[in-house]
Amino acid sequence: MIKLIKRVSVISIIMAVVFMVIQVVSDLYLPTLTSNIINNGVATGDIDYIWKTGFYMIGFSLISIIAALGNTYFATRESQKLGQKLRSDIYQKVENFSSRSFDKFGTASLITRTTNDVNQIQMVTQMFLRMMINAPITLIGASFLAYQKDAQLTRIFLVVIPIMLVLVGGIMYFAVPLFKSMQKKTDRLNLVFREGLTGVRVIRAFDKTDYEANRFDEANKDYTHTAIKVNTIVALMMPLMTLIMSGTNIAITWFGGHYIAEMTLEVGNLIAFMTYAMQILISFMMLSMIFVMVPRAQASADRINEVLNEEDEILDPKTPATLSLQGDQATLTFDHVAYRYQGAEKLALEDIDFQAKSGDFVAIIGGTGSGKTTLVNLLPRLYDVESGAIKINGINIAEITQHNLREVVGFVPQKAVLFSGTIRENMKYGKPDATDEEIWQALEIAQAKDFVSELADGLDSRVEQGGGNFSGGQRQRLAIARALVKQADVYVFDDSFSALDFKTDANLRAALKRDMQDSIMVVVAQRVSTVMDADTILVLDEGQLVGKGTHESLMADNETYQEIVSSQLREEDLA
Ligand SMILES: Nc1ncnc2c1ncn2[C@@H]1O[C@H](COP(=O)(O)OP(=O)(O)OP(=O)(O)O)[C@@H](O)[C@H]1O
Ligand SMILES: [Mg+2]
């Protein structure tokens, strides 16, 4: 946790501490003034003394209030800032996560860690700056002053403090493990809730609403049970503390009364002693709260550190080479590339070897699960190759920065994702200074010009979260256009034409061939009609490159390709 809290500014901590010390000293001094006013003023009828001491008391009260305000200000400001810093650190870290790290944590848990866990740290930091300093100073100061006021009465604490220690220890023993398990249950709750929200259509279509509601109910109940237990334990603390305080007061009054009768104690000292006793007990309570909060926050801190310490798998080289756009001179080489998913025994890709140059249309075809997506994901380095090398314009992509690489590669993932905003904003994603003319040109190639220009607001039309207000095929075309707006040497389309009808698919390919002659197109497809007129067709089967050539050559001698073609022709015959 200390590692996380290091983000707080030292000056602010010092300010908070200074204000706190001023407040504690004033608070400690006030009961002494009270006893003075009673012993020296009231008892002797010295009005002047009463006035003078009264003014002092008002003065110290004011100082105490101002100091408390100052302390709260710095404590609150710093803890909020710490939360902000932690959230942005986590966000930046996660944005650079490899796909494997994402799988490891899961989206729901990452969200809990950024919100709930950061809140815990924030809260404990604020408490720390408010109480952690206050409680020990008050405890020591008040004990010392109480002892000075009357040594005999301090013996009461010999009984009270052990009782308090047992109580606080007991609460910690039961509450801390529960607090830790609550964090896990929050994760679970978020996971189920998230799945329910994103899958709401599927859930309805499968008539699984009740099932999902039950699943959520279970997670919800589980969480609530633990929360109730924890809160019951913590709530018990308050009345027990009040009981102890009242008991202490009675004891002080009882013994104090006797001492006064025996003339061994002054009234003012008794009153001051009582106040100090309360201060001591309240500090104890504060300390016990801190002891409950700290382990809980420690659990949160561990969870945050897990994210922040996750090792970057895809690293930039220390002395990167520079890859510049080559236009019509671009080349792409896969040099005996192999890839294996983390923990998998089998290679997901084996000995993939091919070349392409500007203007080439490289198609990748193969059954589902044959490794097509895996292959193209290696190009923008979403994963790193296990052996072999990928070279663009003669330079190994592992030897340049990821930023540089992504300037040269335009990528349309299998699942088209748009961001909320306007169409124009989405189109400018890869090239912030793109002009409307460039955008329209890209939309035209992507066969999206017609439907975008029919929208009432044109380029200013709203895109909702995930592009939900567009059809699957429209979303695909917008995602293609977004990649085209950016000038790239290599464009990758992962099954990006799958939701298009045959005619649009054909028009799109024709436009790409005509207008993007300077670039290399790598197109993953399921349909033979999409790949038929490609310059090179790569046939994948279970991660192996089993065929490489044109449609005609593969038709002549490649069994896998022939099978794919005949299976699709049969389907079309049937249709
Ligand atoms: N994140 C992952 N972790 C482990 N294995 C994976 C992962 N993603 C894919 N695989 C495995 O790698 C193989 C190839 O998957 P890939 O997604 O590349 O297939 P694909 O050819 O794109 O299929 P589709 O046509 O259905 O999109 C599959 O057997 C799959 O189970
Ligand atoms: Mg795929």
Side-chain angles (χ1 to χ4, degrees):
M1 186 153 64
I2 292 165
K3 217 168 109 194
L4 297 180
I5 293 182
K6 271 192 190 149
R7 290 170 171 78
V8 181
S9 107
V10 181
I11 297 174
S12 297
I13 296 182
I14 294 174
M15 291 305 285
V17 173
V18 167
F19 276 118
M20 187 83 278
V21 172
I22 296 175
Q23 188 200 343
V24 172
V25 170
S26 321
D27 284 350
L28 284 174
Y29 193 46
L30 277 167
T32 299
L33 287 175
T34 314
S35 75
N36 288 351
I37 219 171
I38 294 170
N39 293 345
N40 309 340
V42 178
T44 58
D46 184 346
I47 301 292
D48 272 355
Y49 187 85
I50 294 178
W51 273 109
K52 207 177 76 186
T53 317
F55 273 121
Y56 278 144
M57 288 176 76
I58 293 175
F60 276 105
S61 301
L62 282 178
I63 292 174
S64 162
I65 291 169
I66 291 168
L69 283 176
N71 170 268
T72 312
Y73 172 75
F74 282 103
T76 312
R77 200 180 72 151
E78 274 320 299
S79 55
Q80 292 299 330
K81 273 197 188 165
L82 173 68
Q84 183 199 353
K85 277 185 204 152
L86 283 178
R87 280 190 295 269
S88 84
D89 286 357
I90 297 175
Y91 184 74
Q92 267 173 24
K93 181 79 192 183
V94 169
E95 281 291 283
N96 291 317
F97 258 11
S98 66
S99 306
R100 198 185 68 83
S101 303
F102 260 115
D103 296 345
K104 180 172 146 193
F105 288 100
T107 326
S109 177
L110 285 173
I111 292 174
T112 329
R113 286 169 207 239
T114 340
T115 49
N116 200 322
D117 287 315
V118 170
N119 274 349
Q120 295 295 336
I121 302 286
Q122 223 169 277
M123 250 161 65
V124 91
T125 311
Q126 175 161 12
M127 286 230 322
F128 214 75
L129 292 175
R130 292 275 305 123
M131 297 180 185
M132 194 54 181
I133 311 151
N134 187 328
I137 303 180
T138 309
L139 199 61
I140 295 166
S143 306
F144 177 72
L145 291 168
Y147 185 79
Q148 266 201 333
K149 291 283 168 259
D150 193 85
Q152 316 163 44
L153 279 178
T154 15
R155 277 179 294 183
I156 293 175
F157 290 123
L158 292 181
V159 181
V160 177
I161 288 179
I163 297 179
M164 294 275 284
L165 283 177
V166 170
L167 188 67
V168 171
I171 285 169
M172 276 180 65
Y173 179 78
F174 290 110
V176 171
L178 286 175
F179 271 130
K180 284 190 183 168
S181 83
M182 246 172 81
Q183 240 83 349
K184 281 212 190 76
K185 289 178 182 175
T186 315
D187 264 3
R188 168 93 193 134
L189 193 64
N190 282 355
L191 174 91
V192 177
F193 193 60
R194 221 185 94 85
E195 274 188 359
L197 283 186
T198 44
V200 67
R201 289 197 186 89
V202 183
I203 293 167
R204 279 191 203 146
F206 279 81
D207 199 19
K208 281 287 192 188
T209 321
D210 291 342
Y211 171 79
E212 284 297 322
N214 278 339
R215 208 158 77 105
F216 184 75
D217 263 0
E218 262 165 43
N220 198 4
K221 269 190 206 142
D222 192 27
Y223 172 83
T224 312
H225 279 314
T226 317
I228 289 175
K229 257 196 233 162
V230 167
N231 284 312
T232 313
I233 294 175
V234 175
L236 263 179
M237 197 156 111
M238 273 306 184
L240 285 176
M241 287 287 175
T242 317
L243 194 68
I244 292 177
M245 280 198 204
S246 308
T248 313
N249 256 341
I250 293 169
I252 294 173
T253 319
W254 170 267
F255 289 108
H258 281 286
Y259 296 149
I260 289 173
E262 292 161 13
M263 305 285 269
T264 54
L265 178 68
E266 285 181 278
V267 181
N269 285 9
L270 177 65
I271 291 174
F273 190 90
M274 271 183 177
T275 317
Y276 286 131
M278 286 310 106
Q279 284 182 349
I280 290 170
L281 294 185
I282 288 172
S283 326
F284 245 103
M285 234 162 83
M286 281 195 214
L287 280 180
S288 62
M289 265 164 80
I290 291 170
F291 283 131
V292 171
M293 291 288 294
V294 167
R296 188 181 178 186
Q298 185 58 50
S300 289
D302 290 344
R303 285 158 52 90
I304 293 173
N305 276 326
E306 247 173 48
V307 177
L308 292 180
N309 297 342
E310 178 75 7
E311 267 184 49
D312 289 325
E313 283 172 36
I314 313 270
L315 296 171
D316 279 342
K318 287 208 177 64
T319 47
T322 315
L323 184 60
S324 47
L325 283 174
Q326 295 292 317
D328 58 3
Q329 299 294 314
T331 57
L332 168 68
T333 311
F334 268 62
D335 185 6
H336 301 281
V337 169
Y339 178 76
R340 185 196 314 267
Y341 280 104
Q342 186 85 19
E345 277 177 28
K346 231 179 110 223
L347 285 169
L349 289 175
E350 213 177 323
D351 201 25
I352 306 293
D353 197 73
F354 69 89
Q355 279 97 30
K357 56 179 197 313
S358 291
D360 276 357
F361 198 99
V362 181
I364 302 173
I365 196 165
T368 78
S370 57
K372 305 183 294 295
T373 299
T374 311
L375 194 158
V376 292
N377 279 349
L378 296 175
L379 258 168
R381 278 187 86 193
L382 298 183
Y383 300 98
D384 269 344
V385 298
E386 179 171 293
S387 63
I390 301 172
K391 291 181 190 151
I392 296 177
N393 304 339
I395 298 178
N396 188 334
I397 59 168
E399 281 164 13
I400 59 173
T401 63
Q402 293 167 65
H403 174 77
N404 190 193
L405 174 63
R406 284 159 201 170
E407 280 174 344
V408 181
V409 177
F411 190 76
V412 184
Q414 185 158 17
K415 191 165 169 261
V417 179
L418 299 173
F419 297 102
S420 51
T422 63
I423 292 188
R424 185 185 279 105
E425 282 163 11
N426 269 283
M427 291 302 123
K428 285 184 172 185
Y429 204 68
K431 190 181 181 203
D433 57 353
T435 62
D436 278 11
E437 200 185 330
E438 288 172 310
I439 294 175
W440 280 115
Q441 206 182 346
L443 288 170
E444 186 170 2
I445 301 172
Q447 307 299 306
K449 190 180 177 186
D450 288 351
F451 82 83
V452 174
S453 53
E454 274 166 26
L455 296 170
D457 295 324
L459 288 180
D460 290 313
S461 308
R462 293 290 309 166
V463 177
E464 269 154 35
Q465 195 187 27
N469 54 338
F470 290 100
S471 77
Q474 289 173 335
R475 225 178 298 153
Q476 280 193 336
R477 280 176 278 167
L478 288 175
I480 294 169
R482 175 176 60 193
L484 293 178
V485 167
K486 184 176 116 167
Q487 309 275 307
D489 274 344
V490 182
Y491 286 101
V492 177
F493 302 99
D494 187 359
D495 220 357
S496 308
F497 309 153
S498 61
L500 308 181
D501 56 56
F502 280 91
K503 190 160 161 280
T504 315
D505 181 358
N507 289 345
L508 175 54
R509 276 181 290 115
L512 283 176
K513 269 209 138 154
R514 193 178 55 237
D515 296 325
M516 307 300 289
Q517 279 171 7
D518 285 351
S519 307
I520 303 166
M521 301 281 154
V522 179
V523 176
V524 171
Q526 305 268 12
R527 286 202 296 247
V528 176
S529 59
T530 308
V531 306
M532 252 163 67
D533 45 6
D535 300 299
T536 314
I537 302 172
L538 306 175
V539 187
L540 279 187
D541 187 27
E542 296 192 9
Q544 312 236 3
L545 189 56
V546 294
K548 182 161 68 172
T550 59
H551 176 69
E552 287 72 28
S553 72
L554 289 170
M555 274 310 274
D557 63 10
N558 190 281
E559 213 176 305
T560 318
Y561 190 71
Q562 286 163 357
E563 266 171 35
I564 297 173
V565 172
S566 63
S567 74
Q568 292 196 5
L569 286 182
R570 247 177 280 137
E571 275 171 31
E572 277 163 37
D573 287 346
L574 287 174

mmCIF file of all heavy atoms in Angstrom, residues 99-100 103 341-342 344 346 348-349 366-375 377 383 414 494-495 524-526 540 543, ligand 1:
data_model
loop_
_atom_site.group_PDB
_atom_site.id
_atom_site.type_symbol
_atom_site.label_atom_id
_atom_site.label_comp_id
_atom_site.label_asym_id
_atom_site.label_seq_id
_atom_site.Cartn_x
_atom_site.Cartn_y
_atom_site.Cartn_z
ATOM 1 N N SER A 99 -3.329 -9.217 -24.879
ATOM 2 C CA SER A 99 -4.614 -9.909 -24.830
ATOM 3 C C SER A 99 -4.615 -10.959 -23.724
ATOM 4 O O SER A 99 -5.638 -11.234 -23.112
ATOM 5 C CB SER A 99 -4.897 -10.574 -26.166
ATOM 6 O OG SER A 99 -4.786 -9.613 -27.186
ATOM 7 N N ARG A 100 -3.436 -11.544 -23.439
ATOM 8 C CA ARG A 100 -3.365 -12.563 -22.410
ATOM 9 C C ARG A 100 -3.666 -11.979 -21.026
ATOM 10 O O ARG A 100 -4.386 -12.567 -20.230
ATOM 11 C CB ARG A 100 -1.986 -13.206 -22.413
ATOM 12 C CG ARG A 100 -1.944 -14.535 -21.698
ATOM 13 C CD ARG A 100 -0.526 -15.050 -21.635
ATOM 14 N NE ARG A 100 0.286 -14.219 -20.765
ATOM 15 C CZ ARG A 100 0.327 -14.342 -19.449
ATOM 16 N NH1 ARG A 100 -0.380 -15.264 -18.869
ATOM 17 N NH2 ARG A 100 1.083 -13.547 -18.718
ATOM 18 N N ASP A 103 -7.273 -11.553 -20.558
ATOM 19 C CA ASP A 103 -7.945 -12.805 -20.228
ATOM 20 C C ASP A 103 -7.729 -13.147 -18.768
ATOM 21 O O ASP A 103 -8.614 -13.651 -18.090
ATOM 22 C CB ASP A 103 -7.394 -13.953 -21.102
ATOM 23 C CG ASP A 103 -7.692 -13.715 -22.577
ATOM 24 O OD1 ASP A 103 -8.549 -12.851 -22.859
ATOM 25 O OD2 ASP A 103 -7.064 -14.367 -23.425
ATOM 26 N N TYR A 341 -0.338 -19.964 -28.360
ATOM 27 C CA TYR A 341 -1.003 -19.227 -27.287
ATOM 28 C C TYR A 341 -0.413 -19.650 -25.957
ATOM 29 O O TYR A 341 -0.020 -20.809 -25.805
ATOM 30 C CB TYR A 341 -2.515 -19.478 -27.296
ATOM 31 C CG TYR A 341 -3.226 -18.646 -28.335
ATOM 32 C CD1 TYR A 341 -3.678 -19.211 -29.519
ATOM 33 C CD2 TYR A 341 -3.417 -17.286 -28.135
ATOM 34 C CE1 TYR A 341 -4.312 -18.447 -30.478
ATOM 35 C CE2 TYR A 341 -4.050 -16.508 -29.089
ATOM 36 C CZ TYR A 341 -4.497 -17.088 -30.259
ATOM 37 O OH TYR A 341 -5.113 -16.313 -31.184
ATOM 38 N N GLN A 342 -0.378 -18.702 -25.025
ATOM 39 C CA GLN A 342 0.168 -18.952 -23.688
ATOM 40 C C GLN A 342 -0.426 -20.220 -23.090
ATOM 41 O O GLN A 342 -1.640 -20.371 -23.019
ATOM 42 C CB GLN A 342 -0.166 -17.748 -22.801
ATOM 43 C CG GLN A 342 0.450 -17.794 -21.443
ATOM 44 C CD GLN A 342 1.854 -17.234 -21.495
ATOM 45 O OE1 GLN A 342 2.201 -16.527 -22.428
ATOM 46 N NE2 GLN A 342 2.657 -17.560 -20.507
ATOM 47 N N ALA A 344 -0.655 -23.131 -24.227
ATOM 48 C CA ALA A 344 -1.144 -24.159 -25.152
ATOM 49 C C ALA A 344 -0.001 -25.095 -25.534
ATOM 50 O O ALA A 344 1.149 -24.678 -25.609
ATOM 51 C CB ALA A 344 -1.728 -23.506 -26.397
ATOM 52 N N LYS A 346 -0.117 -27.065 -28.347
ATOM 53 C CA LYS A 346 0.001 -27.091 -29.806
ATOM 54 C C LYS A 346 0.294 -25.695 -30.341
ATOM 55 O O LYS A 346 -0.190 -24.695 -29.799
ATOM 56 C CB LYS A 346 -1.330 -27.579 -30.376
ATOM 57 C CG LYS A 346 -1.165 -28.728 -31.357
ATOM 58 C CD LYS A 346 -2.526 -29.176 -31.856
ATOM 59 C CE LYS A 346 -2.674 -28.795 -33.286
ATOM 60 N NZ LYS A 346 -3.876 -28.253 -33.728
ATOM 61 N N ALA A 348 -0.381 -22.631 -32.577
ATOM 62 C CA ALA A 348 -1.583 -22.134 -33.237
ATOM 63 C C ALA A 348 -1.260 -21.805 -34.692
ATOM 64 O O ALA A 348 -2.139 -21.839 -35.562
ATOM 65 C CB ALA A 348 -2.112 -20.901 -32.519
ATOM 66 N N LEU A 349 -0.017 -21.487 -34.959
ATOM 67 C CA LEU A 349 0.445 -21.239 -36.335
ATOM 68 C C LEU A 349 1.806 -21.897 -36.489
ATOM 69 O O LEU A 349 2.625 -21.869 -35.577
ATOM 70 C CB LEU A 349 0.592 -19.744 -36.599
ATOM 71 C CG LEU A 349 -0.663 -18.902 -36.702
ATOM 72 C CD1 LEU A 349 -0.268 -17.451 -36.844
ATOM 73 C CD2 LEU A 349 -1.520 -19.332 -37.874
ATOM 74 N N GLY A 366 -9.786 -20.423 -44.799
ATOM 75 C CA GLY A 366 -9.624 -21.643 -44.001
ATOM 76 C C GLY A 366 -10.830 -21.796 -43.100
ATOM 77 O O GLY A 366 -11.556 -20.824 -42.864
ATOM 78 N N GLY A 367 -11.037 -23.005 -42.599
ATOM 79 C CA GLY A 367 -12.195 -23.261 -41.751
ATOM 80 C C GLY A 367 -12.133 -22.447 -40.470
ATOM 81 O O GLY A 367 -11.100 -21.841 -40.169
ATOM 82 N N THR A 368 -13.221 -22.447 -39.693
ATOM 83 C CA THR A 368 -13.161 -21.674 -38.460
ATOM 84 C C THR A 368 -12.182 -22.354 -37.500
ATOM 85 O O THR A 368 -12.089 -23.582 -37.469
ATOM 86 C CB THR A 368 -14.525 -21.545 -37.752
ATOM 87 O OG1 THR A 368 -14.771 -22.758 -37.092
ATOM 88 C CG2 THR A 368 -15.643 -21.235 -38.693
ATOM 89 N N GLY A 369 -11.451 -21.525 -36.795
ATOM 90 C CA GLY A 369 -10.461 -22.060 -35.859
ATOM 91 C C GLY A 369 -9.166 -22.477 -36.530
ATOM 92 O O GLY A 369 -8.307 -23.082 -35.915
ATOM 93 N N SER A 370 -9.000 -22.155 -37.818
ATOM 94 C CA SER A 370 -7.796 -22.596 -38.520
ATOM 95 C C SER A 370 -6.603 -21.669 -38.254
ATOM 96 O O SER A 370 -5.485 -21.972 -38.625
ATOM 97 C CB SER A 370 -8.070 -22.693 -40.017
ATOM 98 O OG SER A 370 -8.523 -21.452 -40.503
ATOM 99 N N GLY A 371 -6.867 -20.511 -37.625
ATOM 100 C CA GLY A 371 -5.749 -19.638 -37.251
ATOM 101 C C GLY A 371 -5.676 -18.349 -38.047
ATOM 102 O O GLY A 371 -4.667 -17.640 -38.003
ATOM 103 N N LYS A 372 -6.734 -18.011 -38.759
ATOM 104 C CA LYS A 372 -6.709 -16.801 -39.598
ATOM 105 C C LYS A 372 -6.564 -15.543 -38.757
ATOM 106 O O LYS A 372 -5.710 -14.688 -39.016
ATOM 107 C CB LYS A 372 -8.000 -16.726 -40.446
ATOM 108 C CG LYS A 372 -8.248 -17.954 -41.287
ATOM 109 C CD LYS A 372 -9.473 -17.824 -42.163
ATOM 110 C CE LYS A 372 -10.782 -17.730 -41.396
ATOM 111 N NZ LYS A 372 -11.131 -18.938 -40.640
ATOM 112 N N THR A 373 -7.420 -15.422 -37.728
ATOM 113 C CA THR A 373 -7.349 -14.241 -36.871
ATOM 114 C C THR A 373 -6.000 -14.183 -36.159
ATOM 115 O O THR A 373 -5.372 -13.125 -36.061
ATOM 116 C CB THR A 373 -8.496 -14.266 -35.839
ATOM 117 O OG1 THR A 373 -9.728 -14.249 -36.558
ATOM 118 C CG2 THR A 373 -8.433 -13.080 -34.905
ATOM 119 N N THR A 374 -5.551 -15.339 -35.695
ATOM 120 C CA THR A 374 -4.256 -15.394 -35.013
ATOM 121 C C THR A 374 -3.169 -14.835 -35.930
ATOM 122 O O THR A 374 -2.335 -14.032 -35.506
ATOM 123 C CB THR A 374 -3.932 -16.850 -34.633
ATOM 124 O OG1 THR A 374 -5.064 -17.413 -33.988
ATOM 125 C CG2 THR A 374 -2.734 -16.927 -33.732
ATOM 126 N N LEU A 375 -3.201 -15.252 -37.188
ATOM 127 C CA LEU A 375 -2.175 -14.812 -38.135
ATOM 128 C C LEU A 375 -2.185 -13.286 -38.305
ATOM 129 O O LEU A 375 -1.148 -12.627 -38.173
ATOM 130 C CB LEU A 375 -2.397 -15.500 -39.480
ATOM 131 C CG LEU A 375 -1.263 -15.437 -40.504
ATOM 132 C CD1 LEU A 375 -1.414 -16.569 -41.508
ATOM 133 C CD2 LEU A 375 -1.184 -14.123 -41.251
ATOM 134 N N ASN A 377 -3.478 -11.039 -36.370
ATOM 135 C CA ASN A 377 -3.218 -10.307 -35.125
ATOM 136 C C ASN A 377 -1.729 -10.120 -34.867
ATOM 137 O O ASN A 377 -1.326 -9.255 -34.092
ATOM 138 C CB ASN A 377 -3.833 -11.053 -33.938
ATOM 139 C CG ASN A 377 -5.317 -10.778 -33.798
ATOM 140 O OD1 ASN A 377 -5.837 -9.880 -34.463
ATOM 141 N ND2 ASN A 377 -5.995 -11.516 -32.954
ATOM 142 N N TYR A 383 -0.015 -9.814 -30.595
ATOM 143 C CA TYR A 383 0.779 -10.890 -29.992
ATOM 144 C C TYR A 383 2.137 -10.880 -30.684
ATOM 145 O O TYR A 383 2.262 -10.366 -31.794
ATOM 146 C CB TYR A 383 0.133 -12.254 -30.235
ATOM 147 C CG TYR A 383 -1.256 -12.408 -29.685
ATOM 148 C CD1 TYR A 383 -2.367 -12.238 -30.502
ATOM 149 C CD2 TYR A 383 -1.464 -12.747 -28.359
ATOM 150 C CE1 TYR A 383 -3.653 -12.395 -30.009
ATOM 151 C CE2 TYR A 383 -2.745 -12.910 -27.859
ATOM 152 C CZ TYR A 383 -3.837 -12.732 -28.685
ATOM 153 O OH TYR A 383 -5.101 -12.897 -28.185
ATOM 154 N N GLN A 414 -11.864 -8.485 -36.498
ATOM 155 C CA GLN A 414 -13.005 -9.334 -36.863
ATOM 156 C C GLN A 414 -14.303 -8.766 -36.301
ATOM 157 O O GLN A 414 -15.333 -8.805 -36.951
ATOM 158 C CB GLN A 414 -12.768 -10.752 -36.337
ATOM 159 C CG GLN A 414 -13.837 -11.742 -36.767
ATOM 160 C CD GLN A 414 -13.353 -13.186 -36.706
ATOM 161 O OE1 GLN A 414 -12.366 -13.494 -36.064
ATOM 162 N NE2 GLN A 414 -14.041 -14.072 -37.384
ATOM 163 N N ASP A 494 -9.911 -8.431 -41.186
ATOM 164 C CA ASP A 494 -10.196 -9.763 -40.654
ATOM 165 C C ASP A 494 -11.668 -10.065 -40.797
ATOM 166 O O ASP A 494 -12.484 -9.610 -40.001
ATOM 167 C CB ASP A 494 -9.758 -9.848 -39.185
ATOM 168 C CG ASP A 494 -9.873 -11.269 -38.646
ATOM 169 O OD1 ASP A 494 -10.300 -12.157 -39.415
ATOM 170 O OD2 ASP A 494 -9.524 -11.498 -37.483
ATOM 171 N N ASP A 495 -11.982 -10.826 -41.795
ATOM 172 C CA ASP A 495 -13.369 -11.235 -42.021
ATOM 173 C C ASP A 495 -14.308 -10.029 -42.041
ATOM 174 O O ASP A 495 -15.420 -10.086 -41.552
ATOM 175 C CB ASP A 495 -13.797 -12.197 -40.903
ATOM 176 C CG ASP A 495 -14.649 -13.327 -41.465
ATOM 177 O OD1 ASP A 495 -14.921 -13.296 -42.677
ATOM 178 O OD2 ASP A 495 -15.056 -14.209 -40.693
ATOM 179 N N VAL A 524 -8.855 -11.538 -44.713
ATOM 180 C CA VAL A 524 -9.311 -12.838 -44.217
ATOM 181 C C VAL A 524 -10.746 -13.020 -44.671
ATOM 182 O O VAL A 524 -11.546 -12.087 -44.581
ATOM 183 C CB VAL A 524 -9.245 -12.890 -42.679
ATOM 184 C CG1 VAL A 524 -9.914 -14.148 -42.161
ATOM 185 C CG2 VAL A 524 -7.811 -12.803 -42.210
ATOM 186 N N ALA A 525 -11.072 -14.168 -45.186
ATOM 187 C CA ALA A 525 -12.447 -14.364 -45.641
ATOM 188 C C ALA A 525 -12.865 -15.806 -45.492
ATOM 189 O O ALA A 525 -12.046 -16.717 -45.401
ATOM 190 C CB ALA A 525 -12.582 -13.924 -47.084
ATOM 191 N N GLN A 526 -14.175 -15.986 -45.433
ATOM 192 C CA GLN A 526 -14.727 -17.348 -45.374
ATOM 193 C C GLN A 526 -15.254 -17.748 -46.746
ATOM 194 O O GLN A 526 -15.364 -18.928 -47.043
ATOM 195 C CB GLN A 526 -15.914 -17.380 -44.388
ATOM 196 C CG GLN A 526 -15.613 -16.875 -43.005
ATOM 197 C CD GLN A 526 -15.183 -17.990 -42.085
ATOM 198 O OE1 GLN A 526 -14.904 -19.104 -42.538
ATOM 199 N NE2 GLN A 526 -15.095 -17.697 -40.788
ATOM 200 N N LEU A 540 -5.281 -21.971 -44.981
ATOM 201 C CA LEU A 540 -4.867 -22.404 -43.644
ATOM 202 C C LEU A 540 -5.695 -23.602 -43.216
ATOM 203 O O LEU A 540 -6.900 -23.674 -43.475
ATOM 204 C CB LEU A 540 -5.089 -21.281 -42.626
ATOM 205 C CG LEU A 540 -4.049 -20.171 -42.527
ATOM 206 C CD1 LEU A 540 -4.388 -19.285 -41.342
ATOM 207 C CD2 LEU A 540 -2.655 -20.746 -42.383
ATOM 208 N N GLY A 543 -3.735 -24.250 -38.372
ATOM 209 C CA GLY A 543 -2.511 -23.498 -38.119
ATOM 210 C C GLY A 543 -1.403 -23.738 -39.134
ATOM 211 O O GLY A 543 -0.326 -23.173 -39.008
HETATM 212 N N1 LIG B 1 -6.951 -16.044 -26.752
HETATM 213 C C1 LIG B 1 -6.757 -17.324 -27.085
HETATM 214 N N2 LIG B 1 -6.193 -18.169 -26.201
HETATM 215 C C2 LIG B 1 -5.992 -19.468 -26.518
HETATM 216 N N3 LIG B 1 -6.300 -20.018 -27.692
HETATM 217 C C3 LIG B 1 -6.865 -19.238 -28.624
HETATM 218 C C4 LIG B 1 -7.129 -17.854 -28.371
HETATM 219 N N4 LIG B 1 -7.702 -17.318 -29.466
HETATM 220 C C5 LIG B 1 -7.791 -18.328 -30.367
HETATM 221 N N5 LIG B 1 -7.301 -19.481 -29.868
HETATM 222 C C6 LIG B 1 -7.220 -20.782 -30.566
HETATM 223 O O1 LIG B 1 -6.449 -20.616 -31.734
HETATM 224 C C7 LIG B 1 -7.035 -21.296 -32.828
HETATM 225 C C8 LIG B 1 -7.197 -20.370 -34.001
HETATM 226 O O2 LIG B 1 -8.116 -19.338 -33.671
HETATM 227 P P1 LIG B 1 -8.425 -18.139 -34.646
HETATM 228 O O3 LIG B 1 -9.248 -17.160 -33.913
HETATM 229 O O4 LIG B 1 -7.161 -17.661 -35.232
HETATM 230 O O5 LIG B 1 -9.304 -18.853 -35.767
HETATM 231 P P2 LIG B 1 -9.956 -18.233 -37.079
HETATM 232 O O6 LIG B 1 -9.397 -18.975 -38.209
HETATM 233 O O7 LIG B 1 -9.837 -16.762 -37.093
HETATM 234 O O8 LIG B 1 -11.472 -18.663 -36.893
HETATM 235 P P3 LIG B 1 -12.817 -17.905 -37.356
HETATM 236 O O9 LIG B 1 -12.971 -18.151 -38.785
HETATM 237 O O10 LIG B 1 -13.867 -18.593 -36.564
HETATM 238 O O11 LIG B 1 -12.669 -16.454 -37.012
HETATM 239 C C9 LIG B 1 -8.338 -21.882 -32.321
HETATM 240 O O12 LIG B 1 -8.153 -23.263 -32.138
HETATM 241 C C10 LIG B 1 -8.588 -21.210 -31.007
HETATM 242 O O13 LIG B 1 -9.136 -22.113 -30.088
#
